[in-house]
C-alpha cells in the first residue's frame, strides 16, 4: 500500500518521545530508573487530581462531557476570559494539530523558530502545509522573532511563539513580542505556546493572555501536562479567538478529552498549593544544577522552564546511552537540534544529585 500513502506524510520524521521507565527497566534489567526526559512534573500529580480521578472511576461506562463544560467554565473563571474562548484538547498537542488543520493546506505555511517544539513541524506537514523555520539567535538558544517575521509571506497562516522555548528553556521578552505583534499581517494567527508559563519567573516574561481578545488574532496555549503533573491524562487548553473556536468545535473529535482528565484538570487548577510547591521544587533543583554544572565546567542554558539544556561533549548520544545504563533517562539533543547537548528535566534536589553523580561517572568513563 506504500504507493498510495499521501506522499507529503512521508516527509514527517516520527516524534521521538523520551524513553518510558518501564521499557528501560525491562531492557537493562534495572529498577528505580530516574526519568528526566519528558519535562514531567517530578513532584507528581496534584493529590486533589488523584482523588478526582478515583471518584470518577466508577462512572467510566459513560461517555465524557464532549463540551468539557465544567473544565472550560473553571478555566474561564480562573483566567477571566469568556467561556467560548476556552478550548480543551487531548493534550495541547491536539490543539496544535487542530489549528494546523483549521488554517493550513498545500501552498500555505506556518512559521516557527528552530530549534523549537517539533510538533509545529509535524502537525504542519501532516495537514498539508509547509513548515517555515527561522534559525534561533544566541547560538540557537533563543527564538528570533524578527527573523521569524522576515519569513512571513502572503501564504503564512500560523506564527508559533514557543515561550519559554522547548528545548532551550529561554524566553522572548515582552517588548520584543509587542513589537512583532504590531507588524504581523492580518492573515496570520499568532500562537503563543506557553506550556511552561507557570515556571517562568523573569520579570520581562510576557503573558500571552495580555494580547488575547475574542475578536483578535492571538491564540494562547497552556497545558495540564507540565506544572499540574497530569501528562499521562492528556489534557491541554487554550484561548482561541471566536472565529477559530468556532472552527475548532467543528473539526475536533466529539469526545476529544476523556472524563478522568476533565475531572482531574478541574481539581488540579484549584490546587494552588501544588503549583506553588512545584515551582519551589523546580527553583531549588535548578539552582542546585546551576551550581554543580558550573563546578564541573559544563555549559548550560539558563532556563525559565522545568528542564535544562546541558552541553556535555561532542557525542551527546554516547553520554545519553551511558546515563541510561546507570538508570538515568535524559533526552539526547540530536533530535532536538542540539547534537552536543542533553535536555534534562529538573527533579528535586536529591534526584538532581543522583543525576550529577551519574553524569560525573559517565564523563570520567569517557575520559
Ligand atoms: C509539553 C509541551 C506541550 C504540550 O504538551 P501536551 O502534553 O500535549 O499538553 C506543548 N508545547 C510545548 C512547547 C511543550 O513542551
Amino acid at each position: 500500500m506504500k504507493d498510495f500513502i499521501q506522499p507529503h506524510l512521508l516527509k514527517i520524521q516520527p516524534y521521538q518521545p523520551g524513553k518510558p521507565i518501564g521499557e528501560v527497566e525491562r531492557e537493562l534489567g534495572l529498577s528505580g530508573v530516574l526519568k528526566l526526559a519528558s519535562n514531567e512534573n517530578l513532584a507528581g500529580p496534584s493529590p486533589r487530581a488523584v482523588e478526582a480521578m478515583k471518584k470518577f472511576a466508577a462512572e467510566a461506562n459513560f461517555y465524557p462531557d464532549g463540551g468539557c463544560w465544567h473544565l472550560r467554565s473553571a478555566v474561564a473563571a480562573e483566567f477571566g476570559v469568556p467561556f467560548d474562548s476556552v478550548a480543551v484538547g487531548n493534550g495541547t498537542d491536539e490543539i496544535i494539530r487542530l489549528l494546523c488543520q483549521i488554517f493550513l493546506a498545500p501552498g500555505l505555511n506556518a512559521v516557527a523558530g528552530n530549534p523549537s517544539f517539533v510538533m509545529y513541524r509535524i502537525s504542519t506537514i501532516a495537514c498539508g502545509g509547509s513548515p517555515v523555520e527561522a534559525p534561533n539567535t544566541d547560538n540557537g538558544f533563543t527564538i528570533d522573532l524578527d527573523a521569524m517575521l522576515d519569513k512571513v509571506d502572503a501564504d503564512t497562516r500560523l506564527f508559533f511563539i514557543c515561550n519559554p522555548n522547548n528545548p532551550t528553556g529561554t524566553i522572548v521578552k515582552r517588548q520584543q513580542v509587542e513589537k512583532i505583534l504590531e507588524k504581523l499581517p492580518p492573515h496570520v494567527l499568532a500562537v503563543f505556546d506557553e506550556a511552561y508559563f507557570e515556571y517562568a519567573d523573569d520579570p520581562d516574561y510576557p503573558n500571552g493572555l495580555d494580547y488575547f481578545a475574542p475578536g483578535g488574532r492571538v491564540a494562547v496555549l497552556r497545558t495540564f501536562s507540565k506544572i499540574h503533573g497530569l501528562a499521562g491524562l492528556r489534557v491541554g487548553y487554550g484561548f482561541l479567538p471566536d472565529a477559530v473556536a468556532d472552527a475548532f468545535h467543528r473539526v475536533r473529535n466529539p469526545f476529544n478529552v476523556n472524563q478522568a482528565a476533565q475531572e482531574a484538570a478541574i481539581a488540579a487548577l484549584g490546587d494552588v498549593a501544588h503549583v506553588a510547591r512545584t515551582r519551589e521544587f523546580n527553583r531549588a533543583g535548578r539552582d542546585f544544577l546551576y551550581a554543580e554544572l558550573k563546578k564541573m565546567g559544563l555549559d548550560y542554558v539558563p532556563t525559565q522552564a522545568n528542564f535544562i539544556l546541558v552541553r556535555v561533549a561532542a557525542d551527546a548520544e554516547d553520554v545519553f546511552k551511558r546515563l541510561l545504563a546507570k538508570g538515568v533517562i535524559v533526552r539526547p539533543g540530536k533530535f532536538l537540534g542540539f547534537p552536543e547537548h542533553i535536555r534534562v528535566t529538573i527533579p528535586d534536589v536529591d534526584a538532581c544529585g543522583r543525576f550529577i553523580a551519574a553524569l560525573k561517572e559517565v564523563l570520567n568513563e569517557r575520559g
Side-chain angles (χ1 to χ4, degrees), residues 81-82 84-85 211-218 239-245:
V81 295
D84 287 334
S85 303
Y211 314 111
F212 175 79
R217 295 186 277 118
V218 167
F239 307 100
L240 305 181
D242 287 343
V244 184

Side-chain angles (χ1 to χ4, degrees), residues 115 152 178 280 355:
V152 170
E178 290 178 1
E280 269 323 300
F355 160 70

Side-chain angles (χ1 to χ4, degrees), residues 99-119:
L99 288 176
C100 289
Q101 203 176 342
I102 290 165
F103 283 100
L104 301 177
L108 301 175
N109 69 67
V111 172
N114 184 23
S116 189
F117 190 46
V118 291
M119 287 313 298

Side-chain angles (χ1 to χ4, degrees), residues 100-326:
C100 289
Q101 203 176 342
I102 290 165
F103 283 100
L104 301 177
L108 301 175
N109 69 67
V111 172
N114 184 23
S116 189
F117 190 46
V118 291
M119 287 313 298
Y120 311 142
R121 185 188 302 152
I122 290 178
S123 283
T124 295
I125 300 174
C127 295
S130 306
V132 173
E133 295 171 352
N136 291 352
T137 178
D138 175 29
N139 295 316
F141 297 139
T142 309
I143 296 279
D144 186 340
L145 289 178
D146 290 309
M148 279 173 58
L149 186 67
D150 283 344
K151 299 275 187 191
V152 170
D153 63 20
D155 300 322
T156 303
R157 291 294 177 272
L158 296 169
F159 190 87
F160 285 109
I161 304 169
C162 191
N163 202 28
N165 187 41
N166 181 0
T168 58
T170 57
I171 60 163
V172 287
K173 300 189 170 173
R174 187 173 295 115
Q175 235 190 346
Q176 301 167 293
V177 160
E178 290 178 1
K179 197 181 79 186
I180 290 303
L181 288 179
E182 271 173 30
K183 295 183 184 167
L184 208 58
H187 57 275
V188 180
L189 180 74
V191 182
F192 287 87
D193 181 345
E194 299 180 339
Y196 303 95
F197 175 83
E198 300 86 349
Y199 289 103
D201 60 4
D202 187 311
D204 291 325
Y205 175 67
N207 178 349
L209 256 186
D210 289 347
Y211 314 111
F212 175 79
R217 295 186 277 118
V218 167
V220 182
L221 309 182
R222 306 266 175 89
T223 183
F224 286 98
S225 295
K226 304 292 158 59
I227 203 151
H228 295 293
L230 301 179
L233 291 182
R234 313 305 303 125
V235 51
Y237 63 105
F239 307 100
L240 305 181
D242 287 343
V244 184
D246 175 76
F248 184 88
H249 293 298
R250 292 171 195 268
V251 298
R252 69 175 175 82
N253 280 329
F255 305 107
N256 59 328
V257 182
N258 73 72
Q259 195 65 33
Q262 293 184 41
E263 305 287 347
I266 294 165
L269 197 62
D271 197 345
V272 185
H274 186 69
V275 169
R277 233 177 0 252
T278 302
R279 214 184 268 129
E280 269 323 300
F281 154 115
N282 193 65
R283 254 171 229 164
R286 177 182 74 181
D287 292 347
F288 178 87
L289 288 178
Y290 282 178
E292 292 298 317
L293 293 168
K294 246 180 219 139
K295 279 192 239 162
M296 293 168 74
L298 293 179
D299 288 334
Y300 59 84
V301 183
T303 181
Q304 285 290 299
N306 69 343
F307 58 86
I308 184 166
L309 196 62
V310 183
R311 184 168 179 276
V312 281
D315 194 356
E317 188 74 12
D318 182 56
V319 171
F320 157 72
K321 285 187 188 140
R322 288 171 188 260
L323 281 171
L324 204 60
K326 295 181 190 302

